[in-house]
Amino acid sequence: MKATKVKYYNQSVEDVLKAQGSSPEGLTDAQVQESLTKHGPNQLETKKNTTLLQKFIAQFKDLMIIVLIAAAIISVFVGEGVDAIIILLVVVLNAIFGVFQETKAEEAIAALKELSAPQAHVKRNGKVETIKSEDVVPGDIVLLEAGDIIPADLRLIESAGLKVEEAALTGESVPVEKQIAILNDKKLPIGDQTNMAFMNSNVTYGRGSGVVVGTGMRTEVGQIANMINNAEETTTPLQQNLAQLSKVLTGLILVIAAIVFVVGMIRGNESLINMLLTAISLAVAAIPEGLPAIVTITLALGTQRMAKRHAIIRKLPAVETLGGTQIIASDKTGTLTQNKMTVEKVFVNNQLHDAQNVQLKDYPYNHLFELMILNNDTKQTKEGLIGDPTETALVQFNLNKDEDVNKLIQSEKRVAEVPFDSERKLMSTYNQLPDGRYIQTVKGAPDELLQRTALFEIENDVKPMDDTERKLILETNHELATQAIRVLGFAYQIVDEIPKTLSSEIVEQELIFAGLIGMIDPERPEVAQAVVEAKQAGIRPLMITGDHRDTASAIAKRLGIIGENDDQAVISGTELDEMDDKTFAQKVKQYSVYARVAPEHKVRIVNAWQKQGKVVAMTGDGVNDAPSLKQADIGVAMGITGTEVSKGASDMILADDNFSTIVVAVEEGRKVFANIQKAIQYLLSANLGEVLTLFVMTMMGWQILAPVHILWINLVTDTFPAIALGLEPAEKNVMKQKPRGRESNFLSGGVAGNVVYQGLLEGLITLAVYGIAIWFPVHASYAQAHADALTMAFATLGLIQLFHAFNSKSIHGSIFSATTLKNKFFNWSIVVSFILLTATIVVPGLNDIFHVSHLDLHQWAIVGGASISIVILVEIVKWFQRRFAAR
């Protein structure tokens, strides 16, 4: 159900009340019941979740899993029940893990529901009542005060200094000043609808009331929930690659097995059963049984390493997806910035200073810093400062300078005030001085303040305000504003008594200008370097924010996302609305900063880049980010400041809210992909060698390797080294390379070619050993000679894969490097695999089970020399590959 499209901000209070059948006295009990029946409770709908059984069954739809099940069935047919059990165990564990991840992902909407305000103060039957937020209905009059969470979408009907923090919904860090007048613009983003208040926003200042115009799914938050419910489930590049690989392998397996079966039957040398077993052996040889398990284990190990570096992965494929990321679209507030207003500039004594360089002792006669404390409603508690973020920033500045804030407040207590209002943009207070007089403090918009000042303070003197001084102040204000710095002006005067009538026209006149304070939601200190590293890695960072264009542009320039003169790279949500999808798709590469955007804009931006074939990561922390986090190839939520909604919709959570952690995660993702690629190259080349060996043996009419031989080689010499390759350290310059992107797959980057030539080498070397054993037999009998040949082929095929595992440590790099033996797990996996393989030949009793014979030293020398030759041959090919690439 979509949120209502009625533009209540264009309507008067009277018209909205009439349309909702309400009045300033609220609804009657009968009207409440009627509205509740019509609109239902004020709750968010959730997508119907699948059952655990349905989730579990769905895990078996993957083609590679089907291939694995087929391998298990084949193993049972050939009498290898142990292997069948191992394969099925891998399949079941993989399915259980998939169910767990999917269940966790469904928490997004549940968390969104929990954000709803538990209680609301409404006026019904002319009386104020406190009710559950779910019982709020359209037409209810909701009363608001500081600290309240707004229970539904409201058209405001009363505002007394009301400010609402909407960062989680709009992305704007500064609370919005609310008013009740009609807004005439026909197309306003949420952040500019100042006469509206939205569900789940927080009241930070003042008080007010509003009439409910939308509840549940008819609210702006409800629209976000609807987008999450209807978001298409995207498959990751990893899932796409594995699915593609599974299809190719399945086709090849069926074709080769069928050819061998038909040719064998035509030759007539073997029985139907024997040829069926031969075809099954080929299928077993071609199926990389351990591939899904190896991929899962490699990803799981990657998640452990990333967790230690503050990146928590919620979905395993996200590790690999990060490595292929080409676009990082980041929310500004709370992600690139600290979501905390901070004093950055101080204009005092006609000079502009960086806040950190200002020492209060250097200004003993200036009133500016005193005014920052006195004209302020911030409350100090054990938990910290509470109040409007702008005002808490002023107090925090003084606390950072070791100013005794409480002492000043106690010694110069406030006795009267003229509250802030959005019309005059000023706030005044009267505080009693120790000598019995009063200091009138005034803060507000510099341009408004200057119209009421007659003097200005400079060092230990007060001088008449003139055009030169006024021009200097306005130019400084403009300079700071262009840097997205929010500027407040401060003025004062000392009076003997408080006027009887406290109105702006009477009290805010003939003031003494004291200075300007510039504040900003500052960027996180580590982000600029992270942006540099991302660009070096070929990743394009984007800023997407609900803030104004100037603010977004200034922060983006400070972070290096855009250059100083790249203003054409900034676009607003309104401008985006004026473009159709085709035009936007043509221009999307032009923009790096999106300002004043709504949630649907974020999804549209992510979609546009995905249609360009890019792998998109979206970071965010607010409710408004949830749909785009889910739509992106990888959604990254903030762990500390992030809402539970954003976390639930994400693939990865930054435990430290550190943007630079994303770059760390990208590096880890690239390493994981490279290691999976190495494992795949190793497995497929080994399996190709096995298939070639069996195929030629069948064509030549030789005695062929039995399924038990192939299964043992696959289980022992394939699995352990392949898993160990997943623990390889990152190769040099991994973050200096361009991202793989969406078109890349596990067989790209020269891997496919390597698989083919390395597999052919393994097969040819094995066949050569078999041929040598037949043509130059150690034993005279035909049966013993063939038994030796088969044993030597079995040993060679196994050992050659162990030596080839060293080749697979790098796709194109030499094994003769300092890092070759650094992976201790890999070294031990080779040793263990070697022992398990040779034991089948040398241990009495085992050779009978595996149908192999004992070999003498001469035969072992041939096997060993042939196996080592794969290293020499591959090194020669790699040398030519590197030389060719260098040209």
Side-chain angles (χ1 to χ4, degrees):
M1 190 180 296
K2 282 192 172 183
T4 179
K5 292 295 180 182
V6 178
K7 296 174 182 176
Y8 292 106
Y9 58 85
N10 285 156
Q11 300 179 12
S12 67
V13 170
E14 292 75 17
D15 289 343
V16 175
L17 285 170
K18 184 178 179 181
Q20 298 298 326
S22 187
S23 72
E25 298 303 307
L27 300 174
T28 63
D29 290 338
Q31 287 176 307
V32 169
Q33 193 57 48
E34 182 184 345
S35 187
L36 194 60
T37 302
K38 181 179 179 181
H39 299 289
N42 183 28
Q43 294 177 328
L44 299 175
E45 296 173 4
T46 58
K47 194 174 184 178
K48 188 178 180 181
N49 293 335
T50 53
T51 65
L52 282 175
L53 180 61
Q54 288 172 322
K55 291 189 183 80
F56 187 76
I57 293 172
Q59 304 301 316
F60 294 91
K61 294 178 181 178
D62 182 78
L63 189 56
M64 183 58 80
I65 299 299
I66 294 171
V67 171
L68 275 177
I69 293 172
I73 295 171
I74 290 168
S75 298
V76 172
F77 273 111
V78 297
E80 296 298 325
V82 174
D83 293 292
I85 291 171
I86 292 172
I87 292 169
L88 289 174
L89 185 62
V90 169
V91 170
V92 172
L93 286 174
N94 189 65
I96 291 171
F97 196 86
V99 170
F100 174 75
Q101 293 295 328
E102 191 175 330
T103 302
K104 292 288 288 181
E106 290 174 351
E107 293 174 356
I109 291 294
L112 192 59
K113 284 186 72 176
E114 290 171 7
L115 276 181
S116 300
Q119 290 185 322
H121 306 290
V122 300
K123 188 183 286 187
R124 290 179 176 174
N125 303 306
K127 297 177 181 179
V128 177
E129 298 179 18
T130 300
I131 62 172
K132 293 180 179 179
S133 63
E134 63 188 51
D135 295 331
V136 170
V137 297
D140 262 330
I141 304 299
V142 177
L143 308 181
L144 304 171
E145 60 183 28
D148 284 353
I149 298 175
I150 296 170
D153 283 2
L154 314 174
R155 168 60 166 94
L156 295 173
I157 60 178
E158 181 186 9
S159 174
L162 185 66
K163 292 185 184 181
V164 179
E165 189 266 308
E166 300 174 340
L169 188 64
T170 68
E172 186 170 5
S173 54
V174 178
V176 179
E177 298 170 8
K178 296 296 184 178
Q179 48 88 33
I180 63 172
I182 297 174
L183 299 172
N184 295 317
D185 196 320
K186 298 297 180 185
K187 214 168 192 180
L188 283 178
I190 293 172
D192 290 335
Q193 295 175 23
T194 54
N195 57 9
M196 299 287 293
F198 302 101
M199 187 178 188
N200 290 345
S201 299
N202 302 304
V203 178
T204 63
Y205 188 84
R207 59 181 180 80
S209 62
V211 57
V212 176
V213 294
T215 57
M217 297 301 286
R218 294 177 179 83
T219 61
E220 291 293 337
V221 169
Q223 192 172 12
I224 292 173
N226 191 54
M227 284 191 281
I228 296 175
N229 279 338
N230 295 322
E232 294 181 9
E233 293 294 334
T234 57
T235 56
T236 68
L238 175 67
Q239 292 166 325
Q240 293 167 4
N241 282 335
L242 283 178
Q244 182 183 9
L245 190 58
S246 299
K247 290 177 183 177
V248 172
L249 288 177
T250 303
L252 288 174
I253 290 166
L254 294 174
V255 170
I256 293 172
I259 290 173
V260 169
F261 180 77
V262 171
V263 170
M265 292 304 296
I266 291 173
R267 288 172 63 93
N269 294 336
E270 300 286 349
S271 66
L272 177 66
I273 296 297
N274 283 342
M275 283 316 304
L276 184 61
L277 284 173
T278 300
I280 289 172
S281 296
L282 266 173
V284 171
I287 296 170
E289 294 94 337
L291 182 57
I294 287 163
V295 169
T296 301
I297 290 168
T298 304
L299 291 173
L301 293 172
T303 63
Q304 290 178 10
R305 290 192 295 269
M306 292 171 75
K308 292 176 183 176
R309 303 177 77 175
H310 308 296
I312 300 169
I313 299 297
R314 295 186 66 251
K315 301 173 184 176
L316 273 188
V319 182
E320 181 275 332
T321 310
L322 267 169
T325 298
Q326 295 164 291
I327 305 292
I328 297 179
S330 177
D331 181 50
K332 179 186 77 68
T333 306
T335 309
L336 298 173
T337 63
Q338 299 176 27
N339 197 17
K340 182 175 67 176
M341 292 300 290
T342 305
V343 174
E344 178 154 303
K345 297 287 184 180
V346 176
F347 179 74
V348 62
N349 290 345
N350 278 355
Q351 292 182 326
L352 186 62
H353 304 277
D354 289 333
Q356 66 264 27
N357 298 330
V358 173
Q359 300 299 324
L360 303 194
K361 62 183 177 58
D362 296 334
Y363 305 94
Y365 306 108
N366 199 283
H367 286 79
L368 175 61
F369 308 107
E370 177 186 358
L371 301 177
M372 291 166 66
I373 298 170
L374 297 177
N375 195 305
N376 202 308
D377 290 327
T378 298
K379 292 179 174 61
Q380 294 188 65
T381 68
K382 292 179 181 179
E383 289 74 31
L385 301 178
I386 295 177
D388 181 89
T390 301
E391 293 193 334
T392 59
L394 299 175
V395 173
Q396 189 61 55
F397 170 82
N398 280 274
L399 290 173
N400 292 344
K401 301 298 180 181
D402 297 323
E403 178 71 10
D404 193 338
V405 173
N406 285 327
K407 182 180 178 181
L408 178 62
I409 293 173
Q410 292 301 320
S411 63
E412 299 182 15
K413 289 186 177 180
R414 185 185 303 183
V415 292
E417 65 180 276
V418 182
F420 175 89
D421 71 57
S422 56
E423 293 295 322
R424 74 184 205 285
K425 298 180 180 178
L426 297 172
M427 172 182 173
S428 290
T429 72
Y430 282 91
N431 297 69
Q432 189 161 25
L433 296 171
D435 63 6
R437 294 186 298 169
Y438 302 93
I439 179 171
Q440 178 194 350
T441 74
V442 186
K443 80 163 184 277
D447 51 348
E448 293 290 336
L449 191 67
L450 281 177
Q451 294 176 26
R452 295 163 170 81
T453 56
L455 305 162
F456 71 96
E457 187 176 63
I458 182 165
E459 296 181 351
N460 191 24
D461 197 7
V462 174
K463 297 182 179 180
M465 179 66 71
D466 54 26
D467 290 341
T468 303
E469 180 66 19
R470 190 173 283 106
K471 181 181 178 184
L472 174 63
I473 295 169
L474 290 174
E475 285 178 349
T476 303
N477 178 43
H478 177 71
E479 178 189 343
L480 294 177
T482 57
Q483 299 173 44
I485 293 176
R486 190 180 189 203
V487 185
L488 281 178
F490 289 83
Y492 73 99
Q493 63 176 326
I494 308 295
V495 296
D496 293 325
E497 58 182 28
I498 301 173
K500 292 180 180 179
T501 303
L502 291 176
S503 66
S504 176
E505 293 77 13
I506 294 174
V507 305
E508 291 171 347
Q509 304 295 332
E510 303 298 317
L511 302 172
I512 304 169
F513 180 80
L516 302 174
I517 294 294
M519 289 171 289
I520 196 169
D521 175 12
E523 67 274 19
R524 293 178 176 273
E526 70 283 345
V527 170
Q529 180 59 31
V531 169
V532 171
E533 292 174 14
K535 287 186 174 182
Q536 287 176 345
I539 301 167
R540 180 170 178 173
L542 308 178
M543 176 193 287
I544 303 180
T545 178
D547 264 344
H548 290 281
R549 187 190 192 105
D550 290 344
T551 304
S553 177
I555 292 291
K557 288 175 181 177
R558 289 166 64 145
L559 292 173
I561 293 175
I562 61 174
E564 284 298 323
N565 300 315
D566 287 348
D567 292 325
Q568 73 279 359
V570 185
I571 184 174
S572 69
T574 303
E575 292 170 316
L576 192 57
D577 283 334
E578 294 170 358
M579 287 189 200
D580 57 30
D581 289 340
K582 184 178 180 181
T583 305
F584 181 44
Q586 293 170 346
K587 293 185 174 182
V588 69
K589 293 181 180 178
Q590 176 183 331
Y591 306 115
S592 293
V593 178
Y594 297 83
R596 219 66 179 143
V597 295
E600 58 268 24
H601 291 138
K602 297 185 180 186
V603 175
R604 190 179 174 197
I605 293 162
V606 171
N607 269 328
W609 278 106
Q610 287 175 329
K611 287 177 181 176
Q612 296 285 328
K614 303 296 184 183
V615 179
V616 182
M618 169 73 192
T619 74
D621 64 344
V623 176
N624 61 321
D625 298 319
S628 50
L629 288 176
K630 194 168 183 182
Q631 177 64 42
D633 295 289
I634 176 160
V636 185
M638 301 296 113
I640 299 173
T641 59
T643 61
E644 289 304 310
V645 184
S646 63
K647 294 175 190 175
S650 69
D651 303 292
M652 184 178 92
I653 298 170
L654 302 182
D656 59 355
D657 281 16
N658 191 330
F659 185 84
S660 63
T661 302
I662 299 172
V663 178
V664 170
V666 168
E667 180 182 1
E668 191 65 44
R670 290 187 176 189
K671 183 171 77 173
V672 165
F673 180 85
N675 287 349
I676 291 175
Q677 206 172 32
K678 292 170 188 176
I680 286 176
Q681 175 180 289
Y682 172 66
L683 287 172
L684 294 188
S685 58
N687 286 22
L688 178 58
E690 294 168 10
V691 169
L692 179 65
T693 300
L694 288 173
F695 186 77
V696 173
M697 282 179 166
T698 304
M699 296 298 104
M700 296 289 289
W702 292 349
Q703 186 177 351
I704 67 169
L705 295 168
V708 67
H709 296 142
I710 299 301
L711 282 167
W712 188 251
I713 288 173
N714 284 358
L715 186 67
V716 173
T717 66
D718 276 10
T719 307
F720 295 144
I723 292 173
L725 285 171
L727 291 170
E728 283 294 296
E731 294 186 47
K732 292 181 179 179
N733 300 322
V734 69
M735 288 300 285
K736 303 293 182 185
Q737 301 166 5
K738 290 184 178 179
R740 298 185 319 276
R742 195 176 294 279
E743 299 303 316
S744 172
N745 58 54
F746 289 123
L747 297 178
S748 60
V751 173
N754 289 354
V755 166
V756 173
Y757 91 81
Q758 290 167 9
L760 289 173
L761 284 176
E762 288 188 35
L764 291 174
I765 292 170
T766 303
L767 290 167
V769 170
Y770 187 96
I772 291 171
I774 291 294
W775 298 321
F776 305 98
V778 173
H779 298 92
S781 73
Y782 177 86
Q784 188 61 49
H786 276 79
D788 287 350
L790 195 66
T791 302
M792 290 172 70
F794 168 62
T796 302
L797 193 57
L799 288 179
I800 205 171
Q801 292 181 14
L802 295 183
F803 282 108
H804 182 52
F806 286 95
N807 290 328
S808 300
K809 278 174 164 280
S810 176
I811 304 299
H812 300 299
S814 172
I815 69 168
F816 301 109
S817 67
T819 60
T820 298
L821 298 176
K822 277 193 172 182
N823 185 346
K824 293 180 180 179
F825 185 76
F826 177 86
N827 300 337
W828 279 109
S829 73
I830 297 297
V831 172
V832 171
S833 296
F834 175 78
I835 292 171
L836 290 172
L837 177 69
T838 55
T840 60
I841 300 172
V842 301
V843 176
L846 284 179
N847 53 355
D848 293 330
I849 295 174
F850 282 88
H851 315 296
V852 293
S853 60
H854 285 291
L855 302 177
D856 61 22
L857 289 177
H858 173 69
Q859 290 171 318
W860 273 114
I862 293 173
V863 169
S867 301
I868 293 173
S869 68
I870 190 71
V871 174
I872 299 168
L873 293 171
V874 171
E875 276 295 305
I876 293 171
V877 175
K878 283 184 178 181
W879 184 82
F880 281 106
Q881 286 177 334
R882 292 193 297 271
R883 288 291 297 271
F884 181 78
R887 291 179 182 177

